[in-house]
């Protein structure tokens, strides 16, 4: 280590010790000391997320279109009611294991950023490689695209308009554009609308569950009445591709259980809040999802489930409440999808902004800016643009499934590295000083790692005839695109952290700086090599 680096480290330790009180992960007033040994300061007026808000932060992200749009595909891929319900249970167990892993990291490093912080903390060599990979993961994935597609499909169904390639996408483009403009131009109204639509999601799920109990009592308008629970495992598929793709659909419905981890610097008493809010939100969603699936199978015949595609919820409303209710409630499902688009583009736009604020992206000031309307307009625009491209690229029948899988696949890769990182910490506690206030346990971390390894490998196994999730695309395409997205992050790292420093004769360093608002954050800075050579 050079004298300059040693001096910087000593100054950092002095700064840390001046705020150090209590154990790792402790906080007093507006100071957070995390397991990485860094001190992060926040202003108390910016700590606006309490227990209730944290629960709804997770709920709003998890409950999107998945529970309305994926059960039909999961049933088709599973082959039977029994295995389909088991897929939801298995997906819940994987999500619970992931939640515990993220809770340990979140309580150990309680600040904004989520898995980016955890990967950077564990994977220190090669320097900043984890940052490069994560940059590609954030920049190149259009998370909001899938829910925009479903919004278009349900709106057209409610209007009794035949769904075509362009009208569905046209309505979807209007959906994501509206979300972008609302959050970019009227931030407070966007948050209010987002919270309101969160209640709409819960209301729709409760209506479906109550309707399911009515259907179990025999009050169904379809003839013949459904009988899906007799010989529940009849027709079960043995296809590994079908099982793993069904799991992807379930896991897609649970994406968001770690959403509170992205805003822990803005959370009151982050350790305690995360330990209560995250399990509570996941448990509530798991119960709602399982009861909703039972409701679908109680009211919709097998053949209709298979043919309904992403509008299974509409078929359910028609069979239980009649055609007029079907059209009205389809609009509410579309509003639920719009609420999820608002939530996703809100958080993803801020991830792009944070990459700009840290100096990782070129033209960092542009990406980091909140001008002119007090919102990260540039970050929101970036996610809007990528989502638009992903929406328009696939063939019409494959758009939703492709977007879902191309997002879920790299997420499994990221989760595998997060789980492996936690396992590594268990065997190197003293080296990293890892002693968080919450422990997931080694068996849970191993289970989460193995689950994600399976989700990474199994999609390359060819599906049996008629079991592919796509009509026109190769069954493995989402795997290749997902790997390509991560690889693009690796290429960016080579340019950003290796080639440009050599050309510019500087060394890339991470520093903790204090902003004008009193917040501290990571920033990547260019240290001239001439300055290093003097020491």
């Amino acid at each position: 280590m050079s004298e300059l680096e040693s001096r910087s480290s000593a100054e950092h330790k002095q700064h840390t010790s001046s705020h150090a009180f209590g154990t790792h992960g402790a906080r007093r007033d507006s100071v957070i000391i995390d397991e990485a040994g860094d001190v992060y300061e926040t202003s108390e007026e910016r700590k606006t997320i309490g227990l209730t808000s944290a629960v709804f932060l997770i709920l709003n992200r998890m409950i999107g279109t998945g529970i309305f749009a994926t059960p039909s595909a999961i049933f088709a891929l599973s082959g039977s009611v029994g295995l389909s319900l088991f897929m939801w249970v298995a997906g819940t167990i994987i999500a619970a294991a992931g939640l515990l892993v993220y809770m340990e990291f979140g309580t150990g490093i309680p600040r904004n950023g989520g898995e980016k912080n955890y990967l950077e903390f564990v994977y220190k060599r090669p320097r900043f490689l984890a940052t490069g990979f994560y940059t590609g993961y954030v920049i190149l994935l259009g998370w909001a695209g899938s829910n925009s597609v479903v919004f278009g499909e349900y709106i057209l169904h409610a209007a009794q308009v035949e769904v075509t390639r362009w009208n569905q996408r046209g309505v979807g483009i209007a959906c994501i554009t509206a979300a972008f403009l609302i959050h970019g131009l009227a931030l407070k109204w966007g948050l209010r609308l987002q919270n309101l639509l969160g209640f709409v999601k819960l209301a729709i799920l409760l209506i479906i569950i109550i309707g399911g109990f009515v259907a179990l009592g025999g009050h169904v308008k379809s003839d013949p009445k459904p009988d899906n629970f007799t010989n529940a495992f009849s027709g079960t598929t043995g296809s590994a591709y079908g099982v793993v793709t069904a799991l992807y659909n379930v896991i897609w419905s649970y994406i968001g259980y770690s959403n509170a981890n992205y805003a822990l610097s803005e959370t009151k008493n982050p350790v305690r809040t995360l330990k209560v809010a995250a399990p509570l939100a996941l448990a509530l969603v798991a119960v709602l999802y399982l009861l909703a699936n039972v409701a679908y199978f109680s009211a919709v015949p097998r053949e209709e489930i298979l043919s309904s595609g992403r509008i299974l919820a509409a078929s359910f409303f028609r069979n239980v409440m009649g055609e007029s209710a079907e059209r009205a409630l389809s609009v509410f499902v579309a509003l639920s999808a719009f609420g999820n688009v608002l939530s996703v583009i809100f958080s993803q736009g801020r991830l792009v902004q944070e990459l700009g604020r840290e100096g990782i992206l070129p033209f960092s000031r542009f990406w980091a800016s909140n001008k002119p309307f007090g919102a990260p307009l540039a970050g929101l625009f970036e996610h809007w643009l990528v989502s638009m491209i992903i929406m328009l690229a696939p063939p019409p029948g494959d758009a939703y499934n492709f977007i879902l899988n191309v997002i879920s696949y790299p997420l499994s890769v990221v989760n595998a590295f997060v789980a492996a990182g936690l396992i590594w910490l268990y065997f190197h506690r003293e080296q990293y000083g890892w002693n968080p206030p919450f422990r997931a346990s080694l068996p849970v971390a191993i289970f989460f790692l193995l689950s994600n390894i399976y989700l990474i490998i199994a999609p390359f196994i060819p599906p049996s005839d008629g079991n592919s999730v796509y009509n026109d695309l190769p069954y493995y395409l989402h795997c290749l695109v997902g790997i390509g997205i991560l690889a693009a992050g690796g290429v960016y790292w080579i340019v950003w952290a290796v080639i440009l420093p050599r050309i510019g004769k500087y060394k890339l360093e991470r520093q903790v700086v204090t902003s004008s608002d009193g917040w501290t954050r990571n920033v990547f800075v260019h240290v001239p090599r001439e300055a290093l050579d003097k020491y």
Side-chain angles (χ1 to χ4, degrees):
M1 178 182 292
S2 70
E3 186 177 344
L4 177 63
E5 289 173 306
S6 299
R7 187 179 70 175
S8 175
S9 177
E11 291 173 350
H12 171 73
K13 289 178 180 177
Q14 182 180 2
H15 175 65
T16 300
S17 64
S18 69
H19 293 285
F21 20 68
T23 60
H24 285 297
R27 63 175 295 277
R28 188 181 74 184
D29 296 329
S30 58
V31 178
I32 295 172
I33 309 166
D34 64 27
E35 292 292 325
D38 294 327
V39 173
Y40 285 85
E41 298 181 4
T42 61
S43 51
E44 284 301 313
E45 61 270 15
R46 295 286 293 273
K47 285 182 170 294
T48 58
I49 300 174
L51 178 61
T52 302
S53 296
V55 170
F56 274 95
L57 192 66
I58 299 170
L59 284 175
N60 279 336
R61 183 65 187 267
M62 273 198 290
I63 302 176
T65 59
I67 188 59
F68 308 119
T70 62
S72 176
I74 293 169
F75 178 55
L77 291 163
S78 303
S80 68
V81 173
L83 184 58
S84 178
L85 292 175
F86 179 78
M87 286 294 99
W88 283 93
V89 174
T92 303
I93 294 172
I94 294 172
L99 178 75
L100 295 176
V101 168
Y102 276 84
M103 283 176 63
E104 176 161 349
F105 271 119
T107 56
I109 309 176
R111 50 188 167 92
N112 286 4
E115 60 263 30
K116 177 180 179 292
N117 296 326
Y118 318 147
L119 295 172
E120 289 176 342
F121 175 60
V122 177
Y123 301 100
K124 300 181 183 295
R125 294 288 184 272
R127 295 180 82 235
F128 312 136
L129 177 59
T131 304
F133 277 126
Y134 191 76
T135 299
Y137 173 74
V138 169
I139 295 296
L140 298 177
L141 282 179
W143 294 72
S146 59
N147 291 313
S148 300
V149 169
V150 172
F151 175 87
E153 197 159 356
Y154 269 93
I155 284 292
L156 292 170
H157 180 78
Q160 295 184 325
V161 175
E162 181 183 359
V163 177
T164 66
R165 173 170 188 163
W166 296 112
N167 66 6
Q168 178 193 30
R169 296 181 189 197
V171 177
I173 289 170
C175 167
I176 193 171
T177 302
F180 160 59
L181 293 175
I182 289 171
H183 276 318
L185 305 179
L187 177 60
K188 290 184 178 180
W189 283 104
L191 291 173
R192 290 166 184 163
L193 179 60
Q194 185 174 301
N195 292 335
L196 174 63
L197 293 177
F199 285 102
V200 171
K201 299 174 190 180
L202 290 175
I204 291 295
L205 276 178
L206 290 175
I207 290 171
I208 290 174
I209 291 167
I210 293 170
F213 283 112
V214 172
L216 282 174
H219 301 284
V220 181
K221 296 183 180 297
S222 63
D223 190 26
K225 298 186 184 303
D227 184 23
N228 291 320
F229 295 109
T230 303
N231 298 321
F233 284 91
S234 175
T236 297
T237 179
S239 167
Y241 176 88
V243 169
V244 76
T245 306
L247 268 176
Y248 271 135
N249 281 263
V250 175
I251 290 170
W252 168 256
S253 301
Y254 278 108
I255 286 178
Y257 59 76
S258 61
N259 208 33
N261 290 58
Y262 296 109
L264 289 176
S265 293
E266 302 170 57
T267 301
K268 302 173 184 176
N269 198 345
V271 171
R272 184 187 67 84
T273 299
L274 184 64
K275 288 167 70 173
V276 176
L280 180 61
L282 181 63
L284 178 60
V285 170
V287 171
L288 291 174
Y289 280 0
L290 192 59
L291 291 176
N293 274 277
V294 172
Y296 290 142
F297 290 123
S298 301
V300 186
R302 176 188 178 93
E303 293 74 19
E304 190 174 350
I305 294 174
L306 293 172
S307 63
S308 62
R310 287 173 293 278
I311 55 172
L312 174 59
S315 298
F316 172 87
F317 295 140
R318 181 180 65 251
N319 289 354
V320 175
M321 305 173 195
E323 291 188 4
S324 58
E326 173 194 4
R327 295 178 62 186
L329 289 170
S330 291
V331 174
F332 283 99
V333 173
L335 289 176
S336 173
F338 183 55
N340 195 260
V341 172
L342 282 168
S343 176
V344 169
I345 199 169
F346 176 87
S347 59
Q348 292 302 121
R350 277 152 183 78
L351 283 177
V352 175
Q353 181 188 44
E354 192 62 27
L355 293 174
R357 291 182 61 179
E358 291 189 11
I360 298 171
L361 299 177
F363 312 108
S364 291
R365 290 186 179 180
F366 171 74
W367 299 111
S369 175
N370 273 329
K371 297 178 180 179
F373 302 106
L377 197 62
L380 294 168
F381 173 78
E382 191 280 335
H383 192 71
W384 172 85
L385 181 62
V386 174
S387 297
M388 289 273 291
I389 293 171
I390 290 181
M391 286 170 58
L392 294 173
D398 294 332
Y400 179 79
N401 288 327
F402 177 76
I403 298 171
L404 183 154
N405 290 321
V406 84
I407 291 173
S408 299
Y409 189 84
L411 176 63
S412 295
V413 177
V414 170
N415 283 340
F417 277 97
V418 170
L422 186 57
I423 294 170
W424 175 266
L425 289 177
Y426 282 147
F427 290 99
H428 300 83
R429 290 187 183 276
E430 293 185 2
Q431 177 184 342
Y432 286 83
W434 186 249
N435 188 30
F438 177 84
R439 301 280 180 85
S441 82
L442 182 60
V444 169
I446 292 174
F447 171 74
F448 191 51
L449 173 63
L450 294 177
S451 299
N452 282 284
I453 289 175
Y454 174 72
L455 292 171
I456 292 168
I457 296 174
F460 285 101
I461 300 174
S464 56
D465 292 341
N467 205 26
S468 176
V469 73
Y470 303 125
N471 297 323
D472 302 305
L473 299 176
Y475 70 91
Y476 52 81
L477 183 62
H478 63 274
C479 303
L480 297 183
V481 174
I483 292 171
I485 287 171
L486 295 174
V491 172
Y492 184 76
W493 169 79
I494 293 174
V495 175
W496 168 66
V498 179
I499 296 177
L500 290 181
R502 290 181 180 178
I503 295 174
K505 297 181 180 180
Y506 61 82
K507 187 175 182 181
L508 201 61
E509 293 290 346
R510 180 193 282 118
Q511 295 181 357
V512 178
V513 301
T514 302
S515 303
S516 58
D517 59 5
W519 280 43
T520 53
R521 56 187 174 87
N522 284 331
V523 172
F524 288 88
V525 297
H526 301 169
V527 179
R529 292 193 177 274
E530 292 82 356
L532 292 171
D533 293 338
K534 293 179 181 179
Y535 294 93

